[in-house]
Amino acid sequence: MTSIRSASRDPDDATDEREVDFLVVGAGLAGVSAALAAAEAGLRTLVLEKQPEIGGSSAMSGGCLAFAGTDIQRANGIEDSDALLFADLREVGRFENDEATVRAYVEEQLSTYAWLRAHGAEFGSMVEAASGQSAPRSHIVDPADLVRSLWARAKSTGAVRLITSARAARLCREGGGGPVAAVEVDGDGRRFTVRASRGILLASGGFAGNPGLVHRFAPQYDEAQFVCGAGSEGDGLRMAWSLGADFRDTAYIKGTYGKHPIDETNHHACLAVYKGAIAVNQNGVRYVDESISYKLLGDACMAQPFASTYQILDRDILESGDDRVRILDFQRRLEEGLFIEADTLEALAEQAEIPADALAQTVARYNAFVARGADDDFGRKHLVHNHGALRKIERAPFYAYPSTAVVFGTYCGLCVDRSMQVLDVFGAPIPGLLAAGEVVGGLHGAAYMTGSALAKAAIFGRIAARTAAEGGAR
Amino acid sequence: MKVAVLLAGVADPRHPLTLRSSRPPEIRRDNPLVFSPFDEAALELALKIRDGRRDTAITAIVAGGAESDALVRKAAAHRLDSVARLESEALAIWDVGATAHGLAEALRGLATRPDLVLIGREFGDFDDGALAPCLAAALGWPLFDLAQFARWEGDELILVRDGRSAEERLGLRPPWVASVTNDRRNRLRHPLMKNVMEARRRGFDVLTVAPVVPSATLKAVAPARERTRREPCRFLTGSVENQVAELAAYLQPWRALR
Ligand SMILES: Cc1cc2nc3c(=O)[nH]c(=O)nc-3n(C[C@H](O)[C@H](O)[C@H](O)COP(=O)(O)OP(=O)(O)OC[C@H]3O[C@@H](n4cnc5c(N)ncnc54)[C@H](O)[C@@H]3O)c2cc1C
């Protein structure tokens, strides 16, 4: 903990101290959303980004955002609502998530969707159902474009500045124990200080890029794959911890199921299971209800031999994919040679080196369950969560998609109140300190709904900016 | 059929090339290595041959130093019958003739003679296509150059390549050397995780050959001169129509070059 004494008044000043209204640490979706919203509210804002480029994990993500009750859903004849979204988020998080944080998401989601659109976000015309969604609500956007265009808007207000290759290193409290009022920054080969009069926002993402920190909470993932923005090292968490910040959900760090274990060009998970595929291990045996959150599927996969399993599907399921949705782009992956393909299940088993009779038996047993409407082995009822009727695996050719778990993000983190103020270990707000995006814990709980991490970044970023603008951070 | 695949690996083009030394073994050590598309094509062709006839035995030999052990394991992950590394210090790889003799000696030293030797159309970073013919000459075997695909017709293995106007197919009576070029049909498959893990545990032999006296001495390896751009890169801006028009105008002079 460091205290600050004086500050230069001019934000453009090249001296070692600068002053702004609002300081944002990190230029992923949470950071740029907050910066734009703060600028709209008239705050002079500085964004620090430790990488040479903005974007973080947000820019490399699958671009699914979970919103409910949108015009796109209505145009596709999908009924959805705040209430259903709330129920799903709580349920998929196994009620381990914080009700107030979930409510903050739900109450601001539709206005955030409209705000993003007003700022040029171009969502695809289709929505898909994915992990934890009772109604199709994955709204698809090009995530790198989204971050870029929000940043361009923020910049065009003239009220926001960005310093790249500048790493926030320490938070400083006024007079030692007062509100958090400044950040010490490492950039350009020197350390300088930035003071912020209306609040400091940690939008620094998660820590999937810090194996040591992940190991402390989730040693079972030591062998998993990690894919995330290069800056996701937990800096924000550690800075907040040093001020006594509380944190939650670390017990639920999980990988996402569906990453090809060998392919290095395709970062994204493929979830044929959500269109009707089954998951079998190297012995040709099912091991899980495939409709549950892909995070829980990740855990189940890590416990199988070789921490790697296969999604088994047929032609109909393959054709039901959607190449515009990265987790459902089966055809593209087929063209990339990532699926194993064969005319019979026996030939498929041979290529995957699975015992052929075991695989044939597993598929026949599962098809019988589908016909009867009851999965005696794992109780699967739907394609995904509470959505979609199960389908048989019967029309050749048959396909196997080798799959393991990949940790895309940590989705646990700082405890916040509804205004995104960071709470200390006694539940009291730490004055001056806000958090948004992946660095925040409490929304996801035990598992994860597709699209809720990116949407959370935008939603919570906006809330944090509003808190700062209304003077509520201090 | 017994197939030997010769693999070399190249500096991974996704990383900037580090050139701190003029000694090929040190250059390899300083740079992350991957299989070249031609190495991959040769390996996949061997796997295709095995897909067609289960009694096919595949041996892969990766030329390199200890830095290439990861490549040996990568090849082994395709559940090959045997894998080995050929110590490349002795090979003088800038000299195709000398290298071909070294490779030929290594092949002659194998416990059983291969019926078919597959080698990428370029062997590592120092070959530009002359090695396969030289190897065939050193072995005294016939050469099928630039094979793209292989299939069985009964007991006969047919190698296929596209000529300018026709597809050429050759039935092989062993032994043969075939150089392989990359093609949509021989894109290397992904190994199964199970076999990747087994390959991590598997041991392999390191082969050595007597140093070959090269006909030339390698004096230096220096970075290629950088090409300078005539114009800096920039994004096309404005409406889509404007961008299309601007791109079309930019490409217009290129028509003449067709
Ligand atoms: C491959 C992949 C696919 C995904 N797909 C989806 C999806 O489809 N839907 C979904 O909801 N979620 C998805 N996620 C998760 C989601 O992208 C992230 O949770 C979300 O983007 C986090 O946004 P953020 O702004 O909080 O963090 P980030 O986007 O990671 O931004 C944080 C920024 O802070 C910077 N930073 C860190 N420390 C400092 C410091 N000390 N000083 C200055 N800057 C710092 C980082 O460099 C980074 O640029 C995916 C993630 C990955 C990796």
Side-chain angles (χ1 to χ4, degrees), chain A residues 26 28-30 49-50 56-58 62 64 168 204 227 235 438 448 451 453-454:
Chain A
L29 184 57
E49 170 53 57
K50 79 171 171 187
S57 288
S58 304
C64 296
S204 47
V227 172
D235 296 1
E438 197 178 314
Y448 165 85
L454 265 182

Side-chain angles (χ1 to χ4, degrees), chain A residues 92-275:
Chain A
V92 74
R94 299 198 167 167
F95 300 93
E96 284 287 296
N97 39 13
D98 173 48
E99 188 173 340
T101 310
V102 176
R103 225 170 258 298
Y105 178 106
V106 171
E107 284 171 3
E108 300 282 340
Q109 56 97 14
L110 211 46
S111 62
T112 301
Y113 167 76
W115 181 80
L116 290 172
R117 288 199 74 163
H119 283 299
E122 287 181 25
F123 290 98
S125 58
M126 303 287 289
V127 278
E128 289 284 350
S131 178
Q133 302 179 354
S134 293
R137 62 169 77 98
S138 303
H139 293 68
I140 313 297
V141 74
D142 179 322
D145 258 5
L146 179 65
V147 174
R148 259 196 307 268
S149 67
L150 292 179
W151 169 245
R153 296 273 174 145
K155 204 170 142 196
S156 72
T157 63
V160 186
R161 287 204 321 130
L162 166 73
I163 310 180
T164 52
S165 303
R167 175 177 162 268
R170 294 283 185 279
L171 297 168
C172 315
R173 297 188 93 147
E174 222 159 54
V180 180
V183 169
E184 287 184 2
V185 185
D186 291 330
D188 256 356
R190 65 199 178 96
R191 183 164 276 202
F192 56 94
T193 303
V194 182
R195 284 183 65 104
S197 56
R198 306 290 282 272
I200 289 166
L201 171 66
L202 297 174
S204 47
F207 56 95
N210 183 336
L213 202 50
V214 173
H215 174 82
R216 280 208 216 153
F217 302 115
Q220 71 277 22
Y221 273 95
D222 282 355
E223 290 298 315
Q225 302 196 11
F226 291 82
V227 172
C228 61
S232 298
E233 294 170 312
D235 296 1
L237 273 180
R238 284 184 298 184
M239 283 189 282
W241 282 338
S242 77
L243 304 188
D246 202 0
F247 60 103
R248 56 180 298 155
D249 299 346
T250 45
Y252 303 110
I253 291 176
K254 290 188 189 332
T256 296
Y257 180 63
K259 165 85 178 65
H260 195 293
I262 310 292
D263 170 49
E264 288 172 5
T265 53
N266 216 318
H267 289 326
H268 300 278
C270 168
L271 285 144
V273 282
Y274 289 165
K275 288 288 186 179

Side-chain angles (χ1 to χ4, degrees), chain A residues 90 96-99 101-102 248-249 411-415 440-445 456:
Chain A
R90 292 287 281 148
E96 284 287 296
N97 39 13
D98 173 48
E99 188 173 340
T101 310
V102 176
R248 56 180 298 155
D249 299 346
Y411 310 121
C412 55
L414 301 173
C415 295
V440 167
L443 177 77
H444 307 297
K456 158 191 168 188

